[in-house]
Amino acid sequence: MDSDWLPFHPNPSKPSFKPPPGAADAHCHVFGPAARFPFAPERKYTPCDASKEQLFGLRDFLGFERNVIVQATCHGNDNRALVDALAHAGGRARGVASVGRDVDGDQLRALHRAGVRGVRFNFLKRLMDSIPREVLTEIAGRVSIMGWHVVMYFEAQDLPELWDFIVSLPVTIVVDHMGLPDVGKPLDGPEFELFVRLMRERKNIWSKVSCPERLSKSGPPNYDDVVPFAKHIVETFPDRVLWGSDWPHPNMKHHMPDDGKLVDFLPRIATTAELQRKLLVDNPAHLYWSMED
Ligand code: 0GY
């Protein structure tokens, strides 16, 4: 484990908000255990172990029924820890994998049977080396044949350069954490407006309204400055939003969020029962639980 790595919160508070029946935490990870599922040699960070048992325990404690487990860069394209977690979830978890150009049809079909429904393209330079666009385009084409989607992680400042590539992909795209906006800038300023325009013009683009703890400058426990951004996306695109805890919160160097407080963020950004049901139940069910294994 890296020396600057903060362990995840040992005893999160019980949230006041009660998620509706069938609610999914649609962005979380498992790490290792490294003794069984070693981290990738090319990784940019070495986390603490974060096991499937701990994840499922947190799911129950926070009042969720389902998880979408997203392959993190520390495991590279080795999806074994993810697949192992899915195999032990009793149908209550789905996965987003990471694959290379060399992945074959049999491997994709095996991942599908395991519960994988998407792949992740990560554009954060601090997390991984860049992959040529033509490789990503090829993978996206194959993913779309599987009926899967692409999860994309990029920073707001990179959206102008990524725009043409994003709109060229013939597949549903889920953007992590609203494209990491600078919440110190105005909600209706050019930076966030570009992201809103992307979602307005392209009906195949979805957004996770997660990670106030990464975006906030006002800080915990309320992350007040992120509320208007997430609320705006939820209210403008209620059928194309997802939420996730991001447990165990990789690379949080300054504070470790209390997961219960993150759940209590939800009714502030999805302010009606209907919006909460779409965000937490209907939308993840549509993307992750509507296809046969
Ligand atoms: C996240 C965020 C981070 C890490 C990863 O795959 C990863 O390593 O996604 C981050 O450091 O911002 O969404 O989990």
Side-chain angles (χ1 to χ4, degrees):
M1 175 166 117
D2 290 338
S3 57
D4 60 351
W5 191 268
L6 291 182
F8 50 85
H9 203 292
N11 52 348
S13 57
K14 191 82 180 165
S16 308
F17 175 68
K18 203 171 167 319
D25 172 351
H27 186 93
C28 48
H29 311 284
V30 288
F31 295 149
R36 188 163 167 223
F37 303 112
F39 298 117
E42 72 275 15
R43 69 189 180 279
K44 305 281 187 198
Y45 63 86
T46 302
C48 57
D49 284 342
S51 71
K52 58 182 184 286
E53 290 84 3
Q54 289 166 313
L55 176 65
F56 299 153
L58 183 74
R59 172 200 67 199
D60 295 345
F61 177 76
L62 296 177
F64 286 79
E65 288 185 18
R66 293 170 156 181
N67 292 114
V68 179
I69 306 173
V70 177
Q71 174 81 351
T73 53
C74 55
H75 276 296
N77 290 343
D78 178 350
N79 297 289
R80 283 178 298 164
L82 167 66
V83 166
D84 173 70
L86 298 179
H88 289 86
R92 291 167 66 189
R94 292 288 191 250
V96 174
S98 184
V99 300
R101 178 181 230 166
D102 53 345
V103 70
D104 64 30
D106 285 346
Q107 289 168 324
L108 288 175
R109 282 185 288 277
L111 287 170
H112 188 94
R113 281 193 301 277
V116 169
R117 295 292 181 267
V119 299
R120 193 177 195 209
F121 295 169
N122 199 319
F123 294 94
L124 267 67
K125 291 174 195 72
R126 71 179 166 81
L127 291 175
M128 61 181 282
D129 299 330
S130 74
I131 298 173
R133 298 280 158 87
E134 64 270 20
V135 173
L136 296 178
T137 300
E138 192 182 315
I139 293 170
R142 299 178 63 194
V143 157
S144 104
I145 293 167
M146 300 290 298
W148 295 4
H149 59 275
V150 169
V151 170
M152 273 197 195
Y153 193 24
F154 58 79
E155 292 174 319
Q157 69 209 35
D158 294 331
L159 179 55
E161 191 271 317
L162 279 168
W163 180 283
D164 289 344
F165 172 67
I166 293 173
V167 303
S168 76
L169 296 179
V171 65
T172 298
I173 294 170
V174 181
V175 178
D176 279 340
H177 323 327
M178 301 184 283
L180 292 182
D182 178 346
V183 300
K185 293 180 179 169
L187 180 68
D188 57 358
E191 185 182 274
F192 197 59
E193 187 45 44
L194 190 68
F195 182 66
V196 174
R197 197 181 121 208
L198 181 70
M199 289 196 72
R200 196 180 328 114
E201 292 182 3
R202 300 284 162 165
K203 309 287 185 238
N204 62 322
I205 312 271
W206 294 46
S207 177
K208 286 180 199 157
V209 288
S210 38
C211 278
E213 73 283 9
R214 279 184 203 286
L215 301 173
S216 181
K217 296 174 200 296
S218 61
N222 296 327
Y223 308 113
D224 289 326
D225 50 352
V226 185
V227 171
F229 289 81
K231 186 166 181 284
H232 185 66
I233 295 294
V234 168
E235 290 178 353
T236 313
F237 309 106
D239 299 312
R240 289 186 274 142
V241 283
L242 300 172
W243 178 88
S245 64
D246 197 30
W247 186 89
H249 313 290
N251 299 306
M252 289 297 292
K253 306 282 191 214
H254 303 296
H255 83 282
M256 191 43 66
D258 172 339
D259 299 278
K261 299 283 185 237
L262 292 178
V263 173
D264 281 333
F265 189 72
L266 277 162
R268 301 174 66 208
I269 63 169
T271 53
T272 68
E274 187 187 358
L275 287 172
Q276 291 161 9
R277 198 196 66 237
K278 287 180 180 225
L279 175 64
L280 299 172
V281 184
D282 298 352
N283 298 345
H286 173 74
L287 265 194
Y288 292 99
W289 275 274
S290 64
M291 274 189 286
E292 295 288 310
D293 284 347

